[in-house]
Amino acid sequence: MTDLSIGELSRRTAVKVPTIRYYEQIGLLPAPPRTEGRQRRYGSDHVARLGFIRHARELGFEVEAIRELLSLSAAPERPCEPADRIVLRHLEGVERRIAQLELLRSELRHMLDDCRHGQVGECRIIQVLADHDLCRHEHGRMESGAPARHARRGSTRFPVMAGPDPAIPIR
Amino acid sequence: MTDLSIGELSRRTAVKVPTIRYYEQIGLLPAPPRTEGRQRRYGSDHVARLGFIRHARELGFEVEAIRELLSLSAAPERPCEPADRIVLRHLEGVERRIAQLELLRSELRHMLDDCRHGQVGECRIIQVLADHDLCRHEHGRMESGAPARHARRGSTRFPVMAGPDPAIPIR
DNA sequence: CTTGAACCTCCAGTCGCTAGAGATTGTACG
DNA sequence: CGTACAATCTCTAGCGACTGGAGGTTCAAG
Ligand SMILES: [Zn+2]
Ligand SMILES: [Zn+2]
Ligand SMILES: [Zn+2]
Ligand SMILES: [Zn+2]
């Protein structure tokens, strides 16, 4: 029985105190015994479980996935394939995210490269934002349908955010 | 005056109806005029502005950044440098995020490679999650201090989530 | 004039925390 | 033993950027 206060547990696992309480609330970390004054007291098993949770969070797993991984880890003689599938699924998500961000990165770089650093009126950044068709990347085309959107070009004129105008009824 | 209903605007910009109302609520899109029955009616300037917003969101800009970009784009004769700085800042964030995710990806791949696909008890995935020191990557080391954490090895034993135990006071 | 799709407002929920208010407890020092 | 004060407690709200639903009203076609 190591009998740690929540602050001690926090220091040992580098998980913040409110986060520990939050994990208890969502049922990720079991409620520990309490002192007579209802303060939490943790043992080494809690340290281990919280360490697991933290590491999994650092690796980007969602709480639901961690919940499953924890419950799987409680049955050492069962096949580990469900755990592997969770990790694989997560890896695939990470890979998709990387691919997206690489597209983003290249587009942002192009925008910066193309900008002549003059006036806003000629700034490529503003132009590209205002007109999707000037864009090199392919985002947003995935939901087909909606054919032949905007072809407006040239002046970039939006309604400016002024004070809340008095909502004049029309017709 | 194109005089579009919110549904029409939604179809033309591929932004969902509740999202359009949300943008109005947070002051990103100006409140349009209304019919006598208080339904919104949009013009082509709204279409353009919402298109700008959507494109910027697709490129990952935060609403605050979009707000600034929009207000910058309203002054075409001013220098575009502030806009460029916003994009550069965003690009740097994207690059940081990519680097993080690449670390994650390599660690997840290692975990899957090392797993023998046997029982949970020998699963490398579970072991690595339970013991940070088995990990190849460097995350979480950035907050120095707290030296020489866990050295527990072998059995992975956590307190299992059972029903809420009756919180026995100790000492 | 009737129908029914589209619109309205308001509110709650998402995810994983984080921060605060205001009250209570634990502990170290004198 | 008394006191001070840090740490803990519960409860609630907020973040960002939406998304969905309930319950009521309006528009436009037939
Ligand atoms: Zn520029
Ligand atoms: Zn684009
Ligand atoms: Zn395995
Ligand atoms: Zn690690």
Side-chain angles (χ1 to χ4, degrees), chain A residues 1 4 6 17 40 114 147:
Chain A
M1 301 294 127
L4 307 167
I6 197 169
V17 168
R40 294 167 177 86
D114 292 351

Side-chain angles (χ1 to χ4, degrees), chain A residues 80-89, chain B residues 112 115 117-118 123 125:
Chain A
C80 75
E81 191 234 330
D84 301 1
R85 269 215 314 279
I86 290 171
V87 176
L88 182 59
R89 188 154 40 89
Chain B
L112 283 170
C115 169
H117 307 295
C123 177
I125 287 167

Side-chain angles (χ1 to χ4, degrees), chain A:
Chain A
M1 301 294 127
T2 342
D3 238 32
L4 307 167
S5 73
I6 197 169
E8 260 303 301
L9 179 62
S10 169
R11 248 161 272 132
R12 298 205 190 190
T13 57
V15 176
K16 291 181 186 163
V17 168
T19 304
I20 296 172
R21 287 196 276 248
Y22 169 71
Y23 286 158
E24 179 181 325
Q25 189 190 308
I26 63 172
L28 209 53
L29 193 65
R34 306 276 189 127
T35 64
E36 287 182 33
R38 303 207 44 77
Q39 295 198 358
R40 294 167 177 86
R41 288 298 178 265
Y42 296 94
S44 53
D45 44 0
H46 288 96
V47 177
R49 189 172 171 114
L50 188 52
F52 187 106
I53 293 168
R54 187 206 163 200
H55 198 186
R57 283 296 299 136
E58 282 173 358
L59 288 169
F61 288 96
E62 298 178 2
V63 164
E64 270 321 299
I66 298 175
R67 214 186 285 280
E68 291 172 48
L69 288 169
L70 280 166
S71 90
L72 289 169
S73 78
E77 68 289 346
R78 293 245 285 273
C80 75
E81 191 234 330
D84 301 1
R85 269 215 314 279
I86 290 171
V87 176
L88 182 59
R89 188 154 40 89
H90 181 44
L91 173 58
E92 287 165 355
V94 167
E95 284 169 345
R96 270 195 305 277
R97 191 94 188 87
I98 288 174
Q100 280 178 8
L101 287 172
E102 280 171 346
L103 272 182
L104 239 59
R105 178 178 60 185
S106 85
E107 188 54 37
L108 292 168
R109 282 179 179 165
H110 278 311
M111 284 163 73
L112 284 169
D113 280 355
D114 292 351
C115 169
R116 297 286 129 243
H117 307 293
Q119 297 181 343
V120 167
E122 295 115 38
C123 177
R124 189 66 176 175
I125 287 167
I126 302 293
Q127 286 171 11
V128 171
L129 287 172
D131 192 345
H132 205 157
D133 296 347
L134 299 176
C135 204
R136 287 165 166 96
H137 61 170
E138 290 300 325
H139 63 211
R141 294 295 184 208
M142 41 209 69
E143 334 86 333
S144 60
R149 250 108 52 138
H150 55 252
R152 146 204 44 76
R153 195 149 315 212
S155 76
T156 308
R157 276 269 157 259
F158 313 129
V160 167
M161 288 302 301
D165 66 3
I168 312 117
I170 49 184
R171 58 175 279 164

